[in-house]
Amino acid sequence: MLRFTRLRLTGFKSFVDPTELKIEPGLTGVVGPNGCGKSNLVEALKWVMGETSAKQMRGAAMDDVIFGGSANRPPRNIAEVVLHLDNQARIAPAIFNDATELEVVRKIEREQGSNYKVNGKEVRAKDVQLLFADAASGSRSTALVSQGKIGQVISAKPSERRILLEEAAGITGLHSRRHEAELRLRGAENNLSRLDDILITLESQLQSLKKQARQATRYRNLSDHIRKAEALLFHIRWVKALDGLEVDRDKLKQAERVVAELTARVAACTTAQAAAAEGVPSLRVTEAEAAAELQRLTIAREGLDDEVKRIEAARLDRVHRLEQVSHDIARERALAEDAAQATERLSGEKSKIVTACAGETEAIAKAEGELSDATAQVNDLETRHTQLTDKLAADEAERASLTRASQDLETRIDRMLHRLRELNDQRKHLERVAAETSGLNAAEARMTAALAKLDELRARVEASEVATHSTREASEDARHHLQEARVALSRLEAEEQALAKVLETGEPETWPPMVDAVSVEAGFEAALGAALGEELDASSDIEAPVHWTVLDPYADPPALPDGATALSAVTQAPAALARRLSQVGVVDDAGTGERLAAELKQGQRLVSRDGALWRWDGYTITEGAKTAAAARLEQRNRLKDVRGQLDAARADLDAADAAALAAREKAEDARDSERAARQALRDQETEHNRARDEVA
């Protein structure tokens, strides 16, 4: 069957950077908090297997699968998902079955759509869907079990259960191909029907064209007769025109005489018109003056009309503004009343908040303690769960491997025994025939040699099978050790990241607290926290409002009581804490502290490893009181230990990885040797059969 081996995502939803997920044999799980992208991996599998519905991808359009950008990163225009399939069984469709590994790629570009490639060759979406349908999988397959899927299968209708059975039987691809073939046949039938309609239409068009051809021939004959008649008509008209030409010439002479008389009359009229034109300029001047006066009066009247309109508009605007001012005054009064009510309400809420904040520090300290205990319990439970899960997976894999090996060996033994009985029967028959036949010595010798070689190759095959089984078990053990090393490294890395995040000191411009500059031996964190307490939160920078100042050590400091060790002996701290640490003693238990408390000098104090404190003025803290400084120091020491363990875990992981790689290579070599031995055995069996046939 086709097996998923790798999944690579680039620009798909939350996976903006190239991300590759290896799907190892067995059970592969993805664990993480809400919102980390687990569902996006399942949707990537559905999308690359040919999903075409944007609603199935939790989006309004298919372009929503492309990374849409964030506050720190711009959006992408391209998304790509690559799925690698193992096709060593060669059960893929014929167009893809020439490769042992298939690389299915689906790539989408914003507002351009998506395309598919299989092993670098562009294919249709239908081809990809058929590829996964033949493997009883797909974007809508019941092989993808999601929330509520089991209930749907139980309550499914018979038609829906039929789809489930077809997928289980591996005939979904055949069903899809049958549906596609039916569509093609239906399309071919439609094309044939359309072809019949076209033939009928062409037949009618042919009859129409024949009729038009007959009409065109008749038209051409009639046109020839018409042209001949028109030519005869034009000739008769030309003869008549020649007869009327002389009559028209006489009429022309009479018209010329009339034109001469009319020309003389026009000259007289022109002289009279020139005399009348001499008085026209004075009349035009008078007309221009009257027109100018009329224009001036018209402009003055239009200006007065505009002024009247402007004054009326200004009056209406003033009235509207007075009304608006009245409304604004009323609104401002209402806002002032609302502000007074809001002020009274906020004052009441402020007093409630001040009352609620009382005791907040004690509640936070208690919650932090409970959180630490819960975190430790969760880590222990996760460790036990991981170990049990790994052991269960390894046992199931080993049981399945042993079961398959046992079945193969039983089948092989039965086949060998059956073959041995056949060979014994054939040998007895040949011995009987050899006693009566004299020409079989050479063939029998060849068959005997082939049989001996066949026994030798069978022994070699059995040895190679044993070697393959042992190398496979060694490979499984190496893979199990590699998985354990990865789990241990992941657990340490998660703890290191959590501790580093907890110990972050804030923005670079703030003053770092003194607790970050102090380190104490393991086991003395509670003692140092009790000795200094919240004073470790002060900074060593003299620019800080609260800080430690470097002072010279005491010239003759008072000695600590006998039985107490100076805290400075187990603490590495800046010089600003030298005076304080030299006057703090560490005792082994509470009894010693209570006994030595009366001997303390002014400024001295005693602490125990459990966090108890005895001060020179009688102030006492019993053991078990947890302080934030002690917790921070414990976290710093734990972070140092975890980082040390990380190096060892990484080295173990590298060694386990190298061992697993070597074991896989040995297993592959053993499988190659077994295949070669089996091929040699088949060749020798062919040779033995040829020799046996020759003897027969």
Side-chain angles (χ1 to χ4, degrees):
M1 61 180 294
L2 291 175
R3 187 175 65 84
F4 297 176
T5 58
R6 279 184 299 165
L7 178 67
R8 186 170 73 248
L9 305 93
T10 305
F12 184 85
K13 290 199 172 183
S14 59
F15 295 91
V16 56
D17 295 323
T19 304
E20 182 170 306
L21 174 66
K22 291 185 177 180
I23 306 174
E24 301 290 348
L27 183 64
T28 300
V30 180
V31 182
N34 293 336
C36 68
K38 301 187 298 298
S39 299
N40 292 341
L41 293 175
V42 179
E43 291 176 357
L45 284 172
K46 295 172 65 177
W47 189 68
V48 77
M49 287 192 291
E51 180 58 57
T52 57
S53 174
K55 292 183 179 180
Q56 295 292 331
M57 309 305 295
R58 297 183 298 172
M62 193 57 74
D63 287 347
D64 292 342
V65 303
I66 305 175
F67 177 69
S70 63
N72 301 323
R73 309 193 71 165
R76 294 293 184 90
N77 290 325
I78 295 176
E80 184 181 66
V81 177
V82 182
L83 180 61
H84 292 265
L85 305 175
D86 186 359
N87 188 33
Q88 291 185 356
R90 301 300 178 98
I91 61 173
I95 59 174
F96 307 130
N97 209 21
D98 56 348
T100 59
E101 183 177 359
L102 301 180
E103 181 186 69
V104 182
V105 182
R106 184 175 182 181
K107 184 176 182 182
I108 183 171
E109 186 174 355
R110 196 177 297 277
E111 298 181 358
Q112 298 294 327
S114 61
N115 57 355
Y116 296 84
K117 290 184 179 180
V118 177
N119 288 347
K121 181 181 178 181
E122 288 195 5
V123 296
R124 303 176 303 166
K126 189 70 175 179
D127 297 332
V128 175
Q129 294 170 358
L130 285 176
L131 169 63
F132 290 104
D134 289 342
S137 180
S139 60
R140 302 290 180 88
S141 172
T142 54
L144 295 175
V145 181
S146 58
Q147 185 176 5
K149 195 72 174 182
I150 302 301
Q152 293 179 2
V153 173
I154 294 174
S155 61
K157 298 179 181 178
S159 59
E160 296 174 348
R161 291 183 180 178
R162 176 186 176 184
I163 298 174
L164 178 62
L165 295 176
E166 287 177 351
E167 290 184 355
I171 62 173
T172 307
L174 298 178
H175 186 70
S176 300
R177 289 186 175 89
R178 186 188 70 181
H179 179 65
E180 185 177 3
E182 290 176 352
L183 292 178
R184 290 181 178 177
L185 289 174
R186 196 172 297 116
E189 291 175 356
N190 294 333
N191 290 335
L192 289 174
S193 301
R194 290 181 58 194
L195 183 60
D196 293 337
D197 296 338
I198 292 172
L199 289 175
I200 294 171
T201 304
L202 291 177
E203 184 68 25
S204 62
Q205 291 179 356
L206 178 61
Q207 298 298 329
S208 176
L209 290 174
K210 288 181 178 179
K211 183 177 180 181
Q212 292 176 6
R214 289 194 299 270
Q215 291 177 352
T217 303
R218 184 179 179 187
Y219 172 77
R220 188 167 53 251
N221 296 330
L222 293 176
S223 297
D224 292 339
H225 293 297
I226 290 171
R227 281 197 299 272
K228 292 178 181 179
E230 286 179 348
L232 181 60
L233 177 62
F234 291 152
H235 178 71
I236 294 171
R237 288 179 180 178
W238 178 69
V239 173
K240 289 182 178 181
L242 290 177
D243 295 338
L245 180 60
E246 294 297 331
V247 178
D248 292 336
R249 285 176 180 174
D250 295 337
K251 292 180 180 180
L252 177 60
K253 291 177 181 180
Q254 294 176 3
E256 286 177 354
R257 287 194 298 269
V258 173
V259 169
E261 294 175 357
L262 294 176
T263 301
R265 293 179 183 179
V266 169
C269 292
T270 301
T271 303
Q273 188 267 340
E278 292 178 356
V280 171
S282 59
L283 296 176
R284 286 182 177 174
V285 171
T286 304
E287 181 187 6
E289 291 175 355
E293 183 66 19
L294 177 62
Q295 181 69 20
R296 184 181 64 78
L297 293 175
T298 302
I299 292 173
R301 187 189 66 180
E302 292 177 353
L304 291 174
D305 293 340
D306 294 340
E307 184 67 21
V308 170
K309 292 180 181 178
R310 187 166 59 252
I311 291 172
E312 182 64 21
R315 186 183 67 80
L316 294 175
D317 182 61
R318 298 298 185 275
V319 172
H320 292 161
R321 288 189 179 180
L322 287 174
E323 294 176 356
Q324 185 177 2
V325 167
S326 300
H327 293 319
D328 292 343
I329 291 172
R331 187 176 65 254
E332 293 298 332
R333 288 175 180 173
L335 291 175
E337 293 176 359
D338 294 341
Q341 295 175 2
T343 303
E344 294 177 0
R345 186 173 66 257
L346 291 175
S347 300
E349 292 179 356
K350 180 179 179 182
S351 60
K352 291 180 182 179
I353 291 173
V354 171
T355 304
C357 289
E360 184 179 6
T361 306
E362 293 78 2
I364 290 175
K366 182 179 179 180
E368 289 179 350
E370 294 176 355
L371 177 62
S372 300
D373 297 338
T375 302
Q377 294 178 2
V378 168
N379 292 334
D380 295 339
L381 292 175
E382 287 181 350
T383 303
R384 292 179 59 192
H385 179 267
T386 303
Q387 292 175 353
L388 293 175
T389 302
D390 296 340
K391 188 174 184 303
L392 177 61
D395 293 342
E396 290 181 351
E398 184 177 1
R399 184 183 65 182
S401 176
L402 292 176
T403 301
R404 289 194 301 271
S406 176
Q407 294 175 353
D408 293 341
L409 289 175
E410 290 177 357
T411 303
R412 194 175 292 111
I413 289 172
D414 294 338
R415 188 170 62 252
M416 293 299 179
L417 291 176
H418 180 70
R419 186 64 178 166
L420 180 61
R421 287 193 295 270
E422 290 180 352
L423 292 176
N424 289 332
D425 294 340
Q426 292 174 1
R427 184 175 61 183
K428 291 178 181 178
H429 177 70
L430 291 174
E431 289 176 352
R432 288 195 303 269
V433 174
E436 301 174 358
T437 307
S438 60
L440 301 179
N441 293 331
E444 288 178 351
R446 287 194 298 271
M447 187 179 68
T448 302
L451 184 60
K453 186 66 176 294
L454 188 61
D455 294 337
E456 180 183 353
L457 290 176
R458 285 171 180 163
R460 187 187 303 175
V461 168
E462 292 177 358
S464 62
E465 289 176 353
V466 173
T468 301
H469 182 68
S470 62
T471 54
R472 186 184 299 114
E473 291 180 350
S475 177
E476 291 294 332
D477 294 338
R479 188 179 64 81
H480 179 65
H481 293 323
L482 176 61
Q483 187 174 4
E484 290 180 348
R486 285 176 177 168
V487 171
L489 179 60
S490 300
R491 186 171 60 252
L492 290 174
E493 287 178 345
E495 186 176 2
E496 190 267 342
Q497 292 176 359
L499 291 173
K501 187 174 183 180
V502 169
L503 294 175
E504 287 179 355
T505 58
E507 300 296 331
E509 62 268 13
T510 60
W511 294 287
M514 181 64 75
V515 68
D516 291 335
V518 177
S519 61
V520 65
E521 293 183 4
F524 292 92
E525 297 89 351
L528 181 60
L532 296 178
E534 295 181 356
E535 297 173 357
L536 283 174
D537 293 335
S539 177
S540 60
D541 192 346
I542 61 176
E543 299 293 334
V546 180
H547 63 273
W548 286 85
T549 304
V550 179
L551 300 176
D552 296 333
Y554 290 117
D556 188 13
L560 294 170
D562 293 338
T565 304
L567 184 59
S568 59
V570 295
T571 306
Q572 296 180 359
L577 297 178
R579 285 192 175 190
R580 168 64 71 86
L581 295 177
S582 65
Q583 295 302 305
V584 178
V586 181
V587 296
D588 295 332
D589 51 29
T592 304
E594 293 175 355
R595 180 173 53 82
L596 298 179
E599 302 179 13
L600 292 174
K601 305 298 189 297
Q602 184 176 4
Q604 293 182 340
R605 60 189 68 189
L606 296 175
V607 293
S608 68
R609 292 193 178 189
D610 297 329
L613 170 69
W614 298 270
R615 206 164 64 186
W616 61 276
D617 55 0
Y619 179 76
T620 305
I621 298 176
T622 59
E623 62 184 15
K626 204 71 172 178
T627 63
R632 192 173 182 85
L633 291 170
E634 290 177 358
Q635 291 169 352
R636 286 172 58 84
N637 288 338
R638 176 57 183 166
L639 179 60
K640 186 185 298 182
D641 295 340
V642 167
R643 285 175 175 169
Q645 295 175 10
L646 270 176
D647 297 334
R650 291 191 179 98
D652 293 342
L653 179 61
D654 294 338
D657 195 4
L661 180 60
R664 284 198 300 270
E665 292 177 352
K666 289 182 179 179
E668 291 176 358
D669 294 341
R671 285 196 295 269
D672 294 340
S673 299
E674 182 181 356
R675 284 195 291 269
R678 289 182 181 277
Q679 183 62 39
L681 178 60
R682 286 193 292 269
D683 296 340
Q684 189 60 35
E685 286 178 349
T686 302
E687 182 64 27
H688 176 265
N689 292 333
R690 186 183 299 110
R692 186 184 59 193
D693 294 340
E694 184 178 353
V695 170

